[in-house]
Amino acid sequence: MDEIAASLLGLIRSGAATSQAQLVRSTGLARATVARRLDALQSSGLVRADAYVRGTGGRPADRLVIDGARKFLLGADVGGSHTRVAIADLLGTLIEVTDHDINVNDGPDAVLGTVQAAFLELLERQSATPARVAGIAVGIPGPIEQSTGRVVSPPTMRGWDGIDVPAAFTERFDAPIVVDKDANIIAIGEYAHVPPAVRDVLLLKVGMGIGAGIIANGEILRGGQGAAGDLGHLPRPGGERCRCGQFGCAEATAGGWAIARVLERDGGMSVATSADIVALARDGHPLVLDLLRRAGHRLGDVLADAVGMLNPTLVIVGGNLAPASPALLDAIRERVAERSHPLATKNLRIELGALGAEAGLTGAVKLAGDAAFAWPHTAALLHNV
């Protein structure tokens, strides 16, 4: 497969062009050039023509589609206290998801070993081998150097500094491996489900830690080295001591770990995960609801600054703690409205994520698919194993 065929595959996959005539118009290539590549793609079984009924009531026509069952995508959403792993078809449709209670501070060997074992188990349940994997993506709750997939000076992840995440999987998998921070994969997952007219989105991840993913003009914004969106550790004068060592970070008040610390200290409760906090909030525990309200105000302070800088049209509040209580979202909205310029908030919506816990995995398999369909990895898609 050459780059021309790869570009045709990308258009078919996105739905931007689903017939030979549309592919010719979209690429500007000669009809014979497009026809030769399409013949090869259809002969391989990677692309097929499906009949569909036109919306105008005309007779069925053929539409070019990717054979999603040909290979698999694997995704992992590693959190502070919980990890989710998924297998998807080649089009990114989730097939099965597994949950694993493991703390990121158990170290990279334990966490990434758990992820790899889960990948292999999911493949086995599909009667597939690692050779059927077309792409892998892993979200990590820390700063990632985009060019290498290495974790760089994480403020809270013991033993992770300098870890080459892709290297943990290359021995078993011969497929492109993408690593990104967890807030980015959540943002990518949620963005795939917002109206096309919405081009500027800020995703605020509220879990055991705090992070953000930025969609600018329809594209994820990672910055020069992949460090964009670190809202959780923007300090202000005074405030609680953060686990990163600074004082006044948003995480020190609004992070799930900080809420758990107060619940243990002042309420005598043992809280290990964000799910424990959510359960207490849904039971109406007054201390938890008060802490979530305080967290919302602190997050609103940070968001107001980000809204003034980025002027998004939509802020999505995601992560495991986002749906814990309406008090959290109400407090965020209240503080952003108080502190932001009226022009920046004129058409601004602040909403809970639509995908909930599935957002990170949806974004991860989207990244894995993008890698699988990028030249020169597309050549491997032709080999049916």
Side-chain angles (χ1 to χ4, degrees), residues 278-346:
V278 172
L280 288 166
R282 289 178 175 170
D283 286 342
H285 195 288
L287 178 57
V288 176
L289 296 179
D290 181 61
L291 290 171
L292 288 171
R293 192 174 297 107
R294 287 177 53 200
H297 284 144
R298 181 68 181 97
L299 291 171
D301 290 338
V302 174
L303 269 182
D305 293 339
V307 165
M309 179 73 69
L310 301 169
N311 190 204
T313 53
L314 174 63
V315 171
I316 297 174
V317 183
N320 293 336
L321 285 185
S325 167
L328 178 71
L329 190 62
D330 289 346
I332 290 173
R333 287 170 171 161
E334 175 186 313
R335 194 55 61 89
V336 171
E338 288 175 356
R339 294 199 54 225
S340 299
H341 191 281
L343 183 61
T345 57
K346 182 179 180 181

Side-chain angles (χ1 to χ4, degrees), residues 223-297:
Q225 302 298 325
D230 187 16
L231 296 186
H233 296 283
L234 296 179
R236 66 177 182 181
E240 298 279 349
R241 184 180 181 88
C242 183
R243 56 183 178 171
C244 74
Q246 298 187 109
F247 287 87
C249 296
E251 264 200 25
T253 300
W257 69 267
I259 292 173
R261 177 179 60 184
V262 177
L263 291 175
E264 292 174 1
R265 183 188 67 203
D266 299 346
M269 289 172 277
S270 178
V271 177
T273 69
S274 52
D276 296 333
I277 299 172
V278 172
L280 288 166
R282 289 178 175 170
D283 286 342
H285 195 288
L287 178 57
V288 176
L289 296 179
D290 181 61
L291 290 171
L292 288 171
R293 192 174 297 107
R294 287 177 53 200
H297 284 144

Side-chain angles (χ1 to χ4, degrees), residues 171-183:
E171 185 176 339
R172 300 300 297 270
F173 297 98
D174 184 19
I177 301 166
V178 183
V179 183
D180 210 336
K181 70 174 187 176
D182 56 352

Side-chain angles (χ1 to χ4, degrees), residues 23 201 257 355:
L23 289 168
V201 177
W257 69 267
L355 299 186

